[in-house]
Amino acid sequence: MKNDKAESEMKFKKEQFLNGIGVSSEIAIGTAHVIQSGLGQLPEYKIVENNIKNEQKRFRTAVSRAQKQISRLKAKTNKLSDATADELRLLLDAHTAMLTSKRMVIGIETVIEERRINAESAVQTVVHEIAKGFTQVKDPFLSARLQDITDVGSRILRQLMQAPYQAFSQIPEGSILISEELSPADTALIDPTKIAGFVTQQGGSESHTAIMARSMNLPAILGTQNLLTTIRSGQTLVVDGENGKIILDPTLETLNEYRRKIEARRRLNRQLARLRSLPALTQDKTRVSMQANIELARDIDGALNAGAEGIGLLRTEFMFLNRNSLPNEEEQYTLLKAIVEGMQGRPVTIRTFDLGGDKLPTLLDRKYSMSANPMLGLRAVRLSIKEQKLFEVQLTAILRASEYGPLKILLPMISSVEQIRQVKQILNRVIIKLKKRNPSLNLAMPPLGAMIEIPAAALIADSLAHEVDFFAIGTNDLTMYTLAIDRGDEQVANLFNPLHPAVLRLIQFTLEAARRNNKPASVCGEIAGDPRFAPLLIGLGVRELSMAWQSIPRVKQRIRALKTGPATRRAFAILDQTDEDKVAALLDDFNEDL
Ligand code: PEP
Ligand code: MG
C-alpha cells in the first residue's frame, strides 16, 4: 500500500535534468550524497622555529590555489543567466577580497609565527576570531558574511590538506557522491562496491579522475554545470555515464527505462565474458596482445578475469597518494611483488611514478610550490631526476620485485634522450648498491621503455629507440600536449580530440620509428580501450593495446571482426585527412562496415 502511494507520487513528480561529461558508460540509480567541504579531522601540531618560514610558504601556496579555484568558478559564471551570474560573481569577489585581506593573510602568518602552530590550526584560529566579531553585530548583511568567512576558511584548509574525502566510509551504501571536485587521490579512496557513482562540477573526460572511474566501472559524470545549486542530499538520481545525463527525482517511467538499460548491459557483459579465453585474433589471423592498465593491486583479479595477457601500464603513483608519509622501499617492494606474483608469469610493465600535475603527494606538495601550469611543471620523470633519493627507493623496490616474475620499467613524460641516459645511470647505481647489499641476488636489468606522450618524444622517436627497449604511446597526454588542451578542464573538453590529424600523425611517426628500429610499441592511452579506435590502431600497425580491464572484451570483439589488409588501407586514408570531422566520419563508416 505504502509502495503504491510512493509509486503514484513518483509518476506525477517533475523530473529535472542536468548535463555533464559522461566519463564511463555505466548507469547508476541511487541517492545523492552531497559532500560539502570534505574536511576530516584537522591536523593540529606545534612547529619548530626553523619551520616557521616553510609553514608560512605552505599557507601562501594554499591561498594562491584557492584564489585560482575562485577565478575558475568565476569564469564559469558567464554561462549562467545574467541575474544569477551577477549574484555569484559578487559572492566570489567577496571571497577573493577576504582571501587576500590583510586581516586574514597577515593575521594567519603572524599566528603561525607567534604561536608556532601549523597552518591548519592557524587558519582555524583566525577564522574563528573574525567570525566571532561578526556574530556580535546585529546587521543582517554582516551576519551573512559569517558564512562567507567560514567558506573561505574551508577553502584554504582544503587546499592545505589536499584533503581526501575521509568521510567516504561513513557515507550510506549505494550513494551517489556529489561534489565540486574529486581529485584522482580522492577517487582512489572510493570503494566501488559501496558507492554507486559520482558526479562533480569540475573535471574533464581524460582526467585521472575519469580514468579511475572507468577502471572501477563506476558510473561517473564530470564537469556538470550548476550541480551544487541544484542537487540536495537525499534526492533520487539516475546517472547515465554514457550520455553525461543526470536525472533528478526521476518518474517511475524513467526509472523503469533505466532499469531495463542496466539489465541489457548486464546481459551484454555476460555474452562478452565468453570471449575471455579467446585470443584477440583478426579474421586474417593477426594476433593483438591485450593488456590491462591498473592503478591499484585490487585490479589484478579483474584483469585476470577479463583475460589480460599482462599489465601494460601500472600507474605506481597511486601508491604515494592519500598518506602522510611516503612509502618506504619495503612497502613498495611488498606491493610490487604481490602484483608481479599475482599476474602469474604474465609481464608487468611498471611505470615509475608519474607524480606532479594533478597527483602530488601531500609531503612533496609542501616542498614544492604549486606551479602556475602543473601539467607543464615538475611532473613524472622530471621529478624523479630531481628527487633522486625517492626515485632510487622506487627503482630498488622494482628491481627486487623483478625476481618474482617478468617485469619491464616504463618512464613517463620522456622528452629527451638525455633523460633516459640519466635514468640509466641512476638505475646502474641502484643495481650496484643492491648487489653490494645482497651479493646472492640474481639481478638483470629489466627491459626499459619510454612513454611517448609529449610531441617532442614522438618527433625524436628514432633517437629514443636507440636508448630504450620499447615504447608505450600515451595518447591522453599526447593529445593534451599536442593540442594545448588541458585533459582535466571541462571548459575545453569538447576540443580534446585524439582523432585530430596532428595527434594521428605523431602516433604514426612513432610507430614507424619503432618499426625501423625493431622495437615494440604499444598504445596505453584511453583510446586503446575504446572499440571505435581499434580498427584504426590495428590498421596503423599497433599489435599491443593496454586498457582498463573492463574494456578488454569489447575491444577484443571488434578486433576479431577485422581484417588487417582493409584496416591498413582505411587507416592510411584516414591519415590523409586534414579535417577532424572527416576523420571521425571515416572512422565511423569503417566501424559500421565491420
Ligand atoms: C597517457 O597519458 O596516455 C597515459 C597512458 O598516461 P596517464 O593517463 O597516466 O597520464
Ligand atoms: Mg600520461
Side-chain angles (χ1 to χ4, degrees):
M1 183 66 193
K2 221 171 153 191
N3 263 352
D4 286 353
K5 188 167 170 263
E7 297 215 333
S8 81
E9 272 175 8
M10 258 179 180
K11 244 183 216 164
F12 300 106
K13 230 180 349 182
K14 209 168 172 307
E15 54 188 19
Q16 262 182 293
F17 299 92
L18 283 177
N19 289 305
I21 304 164
V23 296
S24 79
S25 51
E26 300 297 319
I27 295 169
I29 299 175
T31 310
H33 186 100
V34 180
I35 299 167
Q36 289 299 354
S37 76
L39 297 172
Q41 180 68 33
L42 290 185
E44 287 178 21
Y45 50 89
K46 288 272 179 198
I47 52 170
V48 291
E49 192 176 353
N50 279 352
N51 266 350
I52 292 175
K53 288 259 163 322
N54 263 353
E55 201 60 12
Q56 288 173 328
K57 186 173 165 217
R58 193 163 78 81
F59 162 67
R60 275 195 299 275
T61 309
V63 170
S64 85
R65 282 186 183 171
Q67 275 176 293
K68 263 184 219 142
Q69 200 178 37
I70 294 183
S71 311
R72 286 184 67 185
L73 287 174
K74 214 170 140 191
K76 280 184 214 158
T77 57
N78 295 338
K79 295 176 193 148
L80 303 175
S81 73
D82 283 354
T84 327
D86 285 347
E87 205 171 304
L88 212 62
R89 266 185 229 129
L90 278 175
L91 181 78
L92 293 173
D93 283 343
H95 281 202
T96 312
M98 282 179 194
L99 260 179
T100 45
S101 76
K102 272 204 180 122
R103 174 131 193 236
M104 187 82 130
V105 178
I106 310 281
I108 292 169
E109 288 188 354
T110 312
V111 169
I112 293 176
E113 183 167 359
E114 287 179 355
R115 301 195 201 169
R116 300 227 182 129
I117 53 175
N118 64 318
E120 287 89 343
S121 310
V123 171
Q124 231 186 349
T125 310
V126 172
V127 166
H128 188 70
E129 278 164 11
I130 302 178
K132 218 162 66 189
F134 278 120
T135 47
Q136 281 151 11
V137 189
K138 292 265 169 307
D139 182 293
F141 174 77
L142 284 181
S143 55
R145 302 282 73 80
L146 182 63
Q147 181 61 43
D148 294 343
I149 275 287
T150 4
D151 285 353
V152 167
S154 305
R155 210 176 265 288
I156 305 176
L157 285 172
R158 172 124 177 86
Q159 295 300 336
L160 269 173
M161 295 168 68
Q162 287 289 291
Y165 291 104
Q166 288 152 356
F168 283 163
S169 55
Q170 265 112 63
I171 289 173
E173 256 183 53
S175 298
I176 294 173
L177 301 182
I178 306 295
S179 155
E180 182 176 328
E181 187 179 13
L182 278 180
S183 70
D186 294 336
T187 319
L189 290 174
I190 294 178
D191 177 347
T193 61
K194 304 248 162 64
I195 300 291
F198 65 83
V199 185
T200 67
Q201 197 150 311
Q202 297 183 15
S205 62
E206 304 308 321
S207 61
H208 284 98
T209 301
I211 290 173
M212 285 297 283
R214 284 193 280 273
S215 86
M216 288 189 283
N217 233 9
L218 210 56
I221 298 181
L222 308 183
T224 314
Q225 282 179 41
N226 303 337
L227 179 69
L228 296 174
T229 48
T230 316
I231 295 185
R232 292 180 318 279
S233 281
Q235 269 181 302
T236 303
L237 301 182
V238 172
V239 174
D240 176 350
E242 177 140 39
N243 299 304
K245 201 155 110 185
I246 303 134
I247 307 166
L248 290 75
D249 296 325
T251 61
L252 197 57
E253 206 181 342
T254 305
L255 274 179
N256 284 336
E257 178 195 332
Y258 275 95
R259 283 179 187 136
R260 280 194 296 275
K261 284 190 182 173
I262 292 174
E263 195 35 54
R265 251 200 110 75
R266 286 198 185 127
R267 264 200 312 275
L268 180 68
N269 284 342
R270 280 196 294 273
Q271 280 165 10
L272 287 173
R274 295 193 198 123
L275 293 174
R276 181 189 177 280
S277 52
L278 296 177
L281 207 58
T282 61
Q283 300 267 311
D284 49 347
K285 307 277 177 276
T286 298
R287 179 80 193 251
V288 180
S289 170
M290 304 294 274
Q291 314 247 340
N293 291 352
I294 67 167
E295 286 78 40
L296 302 163
R298 72 177 177 206
D299 294 320
I300 290 283
D301 286 347
L304 287 173
N305 283 334
E309 295 165 62
I311 301 297
L313 173 64
L314 168 60
R315 291 184 165 102
T316 58
E317 56 274 13
F318 282 86
M319 294 179 191
F320 293 73
L321 305 177
N322 293 322
R323 37 187 305 144
N324 292 323
S325 60
L326 296 167
N328 64 20
E329 180 193 316
E330 210 50 35
E331 204 177 328
Q332 292 188 50
Y333 159 70
T334 311
L335 257 161
L336 295 173
K337 175 174 174 257
I339 293 175
V340 171
E341 284 184 329
M343 286 309 289
Q344 304 162 17
R346 297 168 183 83
V348 176
T349 309
I350 302 181
R351 183 174 74 183
T352 58
F353 54 75
D354 182 359
L355 291 166
D358 56 352
K359 294 170 293 186
L360 199 57
T362 327
L363 240 78
L364 289 179
D365 197 28
R366 287 176 199 164
K367 181 165 175 188
Y368 296 107
S369 56
M370 184 68 172
S371 90
N373 295 300
M375 293 297 202
L376 302 181
L378 194 57
R379 191 189 149 184
V381 76
R382 302 170 186 181
L383 182 68
S384 302
I385 289 172
K386 186 145 182 139
E387 283 288 335
Q388 287 196 18
K389 288 236 153 44
L390 194 66
F391 192 37
E392 282 182 18
V393 171
Q394 182 177 45
L395 292 175
T396 311
I398 296 176
L399 288 167
R400 284 178 61 198
S402 72
E403 282 215 296
Y404 297 88
L407 66 74
K408 305 180 206 173
I409 300 178
L410 176 60
L411 304 172
M413 287 273 286
I414 287 292
S415 59
S416 72
V417 168
E418 183 51 26
Q419 282 169 330
I420 296 173
R421 293 192 183 136
Q422 276 176 290
V423 170
K424 280 184 178 167
Q425 273 176 10
I426 301 172
L427 248 174
N428 284 328
R429 212 165 54 220
V430 170
I431 291 186
I432 292 170
K433 272 195 211 162
L434 244 179
K435 280 192 173 153
K436 248 196 212 149
R437 214 169 82 184
N438 188 349
S440 64
L441 264 186
N442 185 16
L443 277 184
M445 177 78 95
L448 184 66
M451 292 278 303
I452 305 293
E453 52 185 349
I454 297 182
L459 293 170
I460 57 163
D462 260 315
S463 332
L464 294 177
H466 294 142
E467 295 290 336
V468 293
D469 303 301
F470 66 98
F471 287 154
I473 306 177
T475 49
N476 309 332
D477 280 319
L478 188 61
T479 307
M480 167 164 87
Y481 294 123
T482 305
L483 304 180
I485 289 169
D486 186 341
R487 57 195 270 193
D489 185 346
E490 67 282 2
Q491 301 174 97
V492 283
N494 61 324
L495 301 174
F496 186 94
N497 182 15
L499 283 180
H500 190 291
V503 180
L504 295 184
R505 282 172 200 179
L506 289 171
I507 295 175
Q508 188 220 4
F509 204 85
T510 307
L511 292 170
E512 278 183 359
R515 248 191 314 267
R516 269 197 300 276
N517 292 283
N518 236 340
K519 299 282 159 83
S522 67
V523 173
C524 61
E526 291 300 285
I527 63 169
D530 185 342
R532 179 182 180 224
F533 286 82
L536 173 62
L537 294 176
I538 305 306
L540 289 176
V542 177
R543 296 292 176 262
E544 194 176 321
L545 295 170
S546 192
M547 64 200 79
W549 59 263
Q550 290 85 350
S551 306
I552 291 179
R554 272 179 299 147
V555 176
K556 194 188 272 184
Q557 188 187 38
R558 194 68 54 95
I559 290 173
R560 290 176 62 86
L562 274 177
K563 272 199 184 129
T564 41
T568 309
R569 278 194 298 282
R570 293 179 86 150
F572 281 86
I574 285 175
L575 272 182
D576 280 343
Q577 301 303 319
T578 49
D579 179 316
E580 287 175 71
D581 292 339
K582 196 78 195 287
V583 169
L586 280 179
L587 185 58
D588 290 339
D589 286 350
F590 189 178
N591 274 291
E592 271 163 32
D593 292 347
L594 286 175

